[in-house]
Amino acid sequence: MWNHANTLTPMIQLLTTPIFYVNASPHLGHLYSIVLTDVARRWKLLNGVKCVMSTGTDEHGTKVDRAAKLRNMSPQQHADLHSAEFRKLASLAGAETVFVRTTDPLHRAHATDLWKRLVDNNMVYKGKHSGYYCVSDECFYTKDELELNDKNELVSKESKHTVEWLEETNWFFKLNSMQKKLVDLMKTNPSFILPRVRHDSILKELKKTPLADLSISRPRSRVPWGVPVPGTDAENLEENVDTMYVWFEALANYLTAATMHGCTDNFELTHVVGKDIQRFHTVFWPAFLMAAGLKTPKQVVVHGHWTADGVKMSKSLGNVIDPFKLIEELGVDTVRYALCFDSTLDSDSAFSVERAIERRNVNLVNKWSNLASRVCSKKFDAIKALETVSKANLPNSESRTELVEACTGAAEIYEFGKYLHILNDAAIKMNEKLHTAAPWEDPNSTNSLLAVAEALDTCRVIAILLLPVCPTYSKRMLDSLGVKEERRTMTYAAQFADLDYTPAFEPVVTRI
Ligand code: MSP
């Protein structure tokens, strides 16, 4: 189906979000996954990297099956309903992406192919399995990972979801035999997991604790809603058939996505995932791929959670923010900006709508859009100002080159919150500088013209750098500054790298 041997075709970077469970409607956390991935994709594109994205829905398994039954629907009908919502959300979020559904035959073919590769490589065996299973998290937990809640139920310490005791015969993946390869992978590639602290802690754990083999199937009698294990799917063979473990099958979606993008052997995977599912992506998934003889992902980017009142926002806790309403009320670019500005990878963040509005009104309107409108006013001759600038006659300014370097440093490690703080600080400094220069007192003096040119240049460079996060506002800014299409690239994101534009300003973004 695919292999990774060819080195002649140009490498395509495939950035992926996790695929979302269809047991409920999307919430803000899901929107964040999509936004962060799309921002990174647009950043890479801006830098000339061939980059595509995938998202989608995880539609099999007991969790989804139970949710459908509760609503008196077939699991397929139920999946269709919710999958459509996630697809709509991805589109409203401004993501340009393929959308994988695990109930599609193409995906089933990929999951089956992956399974067969493991069988061919003698990496699976049948064995007895017992343990505490959590339907909500779709995984087994060890006793150490459990605690009693106030209703005296056994729950996962991490997710607080209840578990049930299960004993069954399943297919096992020889995860333990992959331990050394996983350690080597992480040792030789210190940025395999971002942020670095997570990389170090997972590597430390892998070096210390032996991995248990992983059960990768469920009896079909218990979990009928899923992809059958190949070789046991014969017609009328009702007994002794197995279903692939939903996580095994779901992870294969990244290979389905590559095919949907027309990539065969020429792609590199970067996964953006929440911290709750890092183990699946940093341990199980690379182990499956290596065992199947396929290339490991390039990177796994792990982010924190959005919280409300200090706890993870999740449908089961009833503390979610409706992403559709948020985008409708604030506009997609404001939401993208706020989600990035107020988050970092290595900690959780508390979301508030009021603060998102403040980010728009203060950062985007007051500091950036208004800065441009001030210097584009009729009082100043913007074109003359740009003409006044010459290489020999640069104002003694904060260099936009430093700005670009700082932004690049942050973006390369997916710290788009830091990235936006750097841009906002640049806008704040420029506003202060303009205030001190007070060009309105003597608009035609050389110093005034240079101050105006510098403010214009700052707005222009910020607009280019904001393209990945706020594509619409940035385009509007560049359109009103009259920046030529072909000059909206990183090459021109440098101090006075472009002086050939004709500002005629319209407000880019207004207060709400
Ligand atoms: N279906 C699995 C993923 C399979 S990928 C092969 C799953 N789905 S999920 O719908 O529960 O979560 C999808 C993503 O949303 C995860 O990365 C998760 O971390 C993220 N978020 C869910 N709630 C979140 C927050 N409150 N905050 C930020 N992101 C969180 O897991």
Side-chain angles (χ1 to χ4, degrees), residues 17-23 27-30 32-33 57-58 63 86 136 247 249-254 272-277 281 303-307 311-314:
T17 76
I19 48 171
F20 307 107
Y21 287 129
V22 287
N23 60 316
H27 64 66
L28 188 83
H30 304 133
Y32 177 60
S33 305
T57 40
D58 191 352
K63 179 185 174 101
F86 282 99
S136 208
W247 263 104
E249 180 231 312
L251 286 162
N253 95 85
Y254 301 127
V272 176
V273 303
K275 64 180 183 181
D276 52 328
I277 58 171
H281 287 82
H303 62 76
H305 287 149
W306 287 99
T307 59
V311 285
K312 180 187 171 196
M313 209 176 271
S314 80

Side-chain angles (χ1 to χ4, degrees), residues 348-393:
D348 290 349
S349 318
F351 190 83
S352 101
V353 178
E354 294 70 35
R355 200 168 52 185
I357 293 174
E358 193 186 315
R359 298 302 179 216
R360 172 184 171 126
N361 289 343
V362 177
N363 302 12
L364 293 169
V365 180
N366 290 0
K367 301 292 176 227
W368 180 52
S369 178
N370 285 358
L371 174 65
S373 68
R374 279 162 83 193
V375 285
C376 287
S377 89
K378 293 220 163 54
K379 206 178 284 160
F380 303 116
D381 187 340
I383 297 185
K384 194 168 161 207
L386 293 172
E387 282 167 4
T388 312
V389 177
S390 74
K391 287 267 180 267
N393 192 15

Side-chain angles (χ1 to χ4, degrees), residues 7 75 83 120 152 226 230 324 399 416 483 485:
T7 51
S83 180
D120 289 348
N152 222 21
F324 295 102
S399 160
F416 289 99
V483 175
E485 282 290 340

Side-chain angles (χ1 to χ4, degrees), residues 123 173-188 192 201-214 279 282-284 286-288 290-291 296:
M123 288 303 292
F173 170 67
K174 295 180 184 171
L175 182 61
N176 181 267
S177 73
M178 299 307 293
Q179 188 139 2
K180 184 170 177 321
K181 283 197 171 147
L182 284 167
V183 168
D184 289 347
L185 170 73
M186 286 181 207
K187 272 204 321 217
T188 49
F192 180 65
S201 75
I202 292 173
L203 179 57
K204 197 168 151 205
E205 183 66 27
L206 268 178
K207 281 182 183 163
K208 194 176 73 185
T209 318
L211 288 168
D213 286 349
L214 183 69
R279 191 174 168 78
T282 59
V283 179
F284 302 166
F288 293 155
M290 286 192 282
T296 48

Side-chain angles (χ1 to χ4, degrees), residues 277-463:
I277 58 171
Q278 65 175 21
R279 191 174 168 78
F280 297 95
H281 287 82
T282 59
V283 179
F284 302 166
W285 179 230
F288 293 155
L289 287 171
M290 286 192 282
L294 297 170
K295 196 165 87 175
T296 48
K298 183 177 169 218
Q299 205 161 44
V300 182
V301 180
V302 183
H303 62 76
H305 287 149
W306 287 99
T307 59
D309 303 322
V311 285
K312 180 187 171 196
M313 209 176 271
S314 80
K315 191 83 185 176
S316 49
L317 295 172
N319 59 355
V320 295
I321 289 182
D322 177 355
F324 295 102
K325 199 162 155 248
L326 195 69
I327 292 176
E328 194 186 314
E329 287 174 2
L330 307 192
V332 61
D333 279 31
T334 296
V335 173
R336 288 170 67 104
Y337 185 92
L339 284 174
C340 291
F341 192 88
D342 286 308
S343 61
T344 61
L345 291 187
D346 59 4
S347 57
D348 290 349
S349 318
F351 190 83
S352 101
V353 178
E354 294 70 35
R355 200 168 52 185
I357 293 174
E358 193 186 315
R359 298 302 179 216
R360 172 184 171 126
N361 289 343
V362 177
N363 302 12
L364 293 169
V365 180
N366 290 0
K367 301 292 176 227
W368 180 52
S369 178
N370 285 358
L371 174 65
S373 68
R374 279 162 83 193
V375 285
C376 287
S377 89
K378 293 220 163 54
K379 206 178 284 160
F380 303 116
D381 187 340
I383 297 185
K384 194 168 161 207
L386 293 172
E387 282 167 4
T388 312
V389 177
S390 74
K391 287 267 180 267
N393 192 15
L394 288 182
N396 181 19
S397 66
E398 279 290 317
S399 160
R400 250 81 69 217
T401 314
E402 274 171 36
L403 178 71
V404 173
E405 273 168 15
C407 281
T408 303
E412 291 303 308
I413 54 167
Y414 291 74
E415 289 292 359
F416 289 99
K418 188 171 172 204
Y419 180 95
L420 292 180
H421 277 83
I422 294 165
L423 288 182
N424 192 45
D425 289 347
I428 291 172
K429 274 194 193 137
M430 191 61 241
N431 275 282
E432 287 165 4
K433 212 168 167 187
L434 192 70
H435 186 75
T436 312
W440 39 87
E441 284 169 9
D442 184 9
N444 287 315
S445 74
T446 305
N447 278 350
S448 294
L449 288 170
L450 287 176
V452 168
E454 200 186 354
L456 285 169
D457 195 55
T458 303
C459 291
R460 180 187 66 81
V461 173
I462 290 178

Side-chain angles (χ1 to χ4, degrees), residues 479-495:
D479 284 349
S480 32
L481 290 178
V483 175
K484 296 189 175 73
E485 282 290 340
E486 67 278 11
R487 294 183 169 215
R488 301 175 180 194
T489 65
M490 284 303 280
T491 314
Y492 292 94
Q495 184 174 3

